């Protein structure tokens, strides 16, 4: 996935994304360009595909009201799902944390930033431990981008059948928190990786 600096550049200076179309969230607070050629679902997602995805995608632990968009790449016959993404959104509750992070300075800023990242990572560890998966964080960076704070996290997951990657781009916007989570493997096609990278770049706040 893209580094923090590259993502910052793309988000605010060169926003482009090849998608099936711009989709406005039901709350009217943001829009995204969802990729074409993927299976898609909303917060009413149910059935065998949900059970399969829930085995390795922790976003499905979120409250139904927080789940916005879910997509998974159609697998080749007999193969496992090569990539998936999930968008969750909480319109309230993040403002105080964002204020503390933004207003802190020096060593205090380093401490509160580390604490915020630790809390976020601990929740993911807990979610994956319940699934019998071992998670190892590769990188976690918190950057300021205009009025928003953006956490970019990349981790590896180990299962009995192999390894895969779990990445998150988390936006703290006013009092809201929006997370775009992705799952992919070493065999994920480059075209699918490009579509995953384009998702956070296409985010537009409408309110």
């Amino acid at each position: 996935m893209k580094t923090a600096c590259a993502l910052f550049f793309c988000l605010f200076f060169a926003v482009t994304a090849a998608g099936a179309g711009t989709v406005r969230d039901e709350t009217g607070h943001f829009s995204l360009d969802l990729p074409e050629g993927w299976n898609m679902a909303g917060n009413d997602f149910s059935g065998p595909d949900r059970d399969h995805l829930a085995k390795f995608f922790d976003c499905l632990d979120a409250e139904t009201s927080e789940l916005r968009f879910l997509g998974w790449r159609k697998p080749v016959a007999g193969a496992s799902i090569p990539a998936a993404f999930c968008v969750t959104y909480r319109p309230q509750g993040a403002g105080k944390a964002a204020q503390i992070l933004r207003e802190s300075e020096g060593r205090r800023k380093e401490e509160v930033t580390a604490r915020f990242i630790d809390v976020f990572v601990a929740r993911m560890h807990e979610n994956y431990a319940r699934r019998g998966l071992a998670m190892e964080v590769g990188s976690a960076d918190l950057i300021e981008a205009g009025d928003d704070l953006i956490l970019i996290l990349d981790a590896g997951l180990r299962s009995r059948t192999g390894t895969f990657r779990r990445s998150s781009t988390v936006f703290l916007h006013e009092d809201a928190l929006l997370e775009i989570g992705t799952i992919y493997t070493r065999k994920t096609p480059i075209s699918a990786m490009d579509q995953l990278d384009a998702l956070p770049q296409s985010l537009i706040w409408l309110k």
Side-chain angles (χ1 to χ4, degrees), residues 7 15 32 47 54 57 59 77 79 87 101 110 173 178 182 186 196:
L7 179 58
V15 178
L32 283 169
F57 214 166
C59 81
V87 180
L101 288 164
E110 294 178 2
H173 176 77
L178 183 149
T182 63
R186 294 177 181 176
L196 291 178

Side-chain angles (χ1 to χ4, degrees), residues 138-168:
S139 62
D141 300 289
L142 185 69
I143 61 175
E144 294 189 32
D147 294 331
D148 292 350
L149 295 173
I150 305 175
L151 171 62
I152 304 169
L153 183 145
D154 183 72
L157 293 166
R158 296 195 307 275
S159 70
R160 295 177 182 176
T161 58
T163 61
F164 51 100
R165 307 299 299 180
R166 168 72 169 85
S167 295
S168 280

Side-chain angles (χ1 to χ4, degrees), residues 86-103:
C86 184
V87 180
T88 55
Y89 177 66
R90 293 204 306 266
Q92 296 179 328
K96 184 175 181 180
Q99 182 180 3
I100 294 172
L101 288 164
R102 190 176 288 109
E103 294 179 354

Side-chain angles (χ1 to χ4, degrees), residues 176-191:
L177 186 149
L178 183 149
E179 178 182 357
I180 300 174
T182 63
I183 290 280
Y184 55 97
T185 71
R186 294 177 181 176
K187 296 182 179 180
T188 298
I190 293 177
S191 59

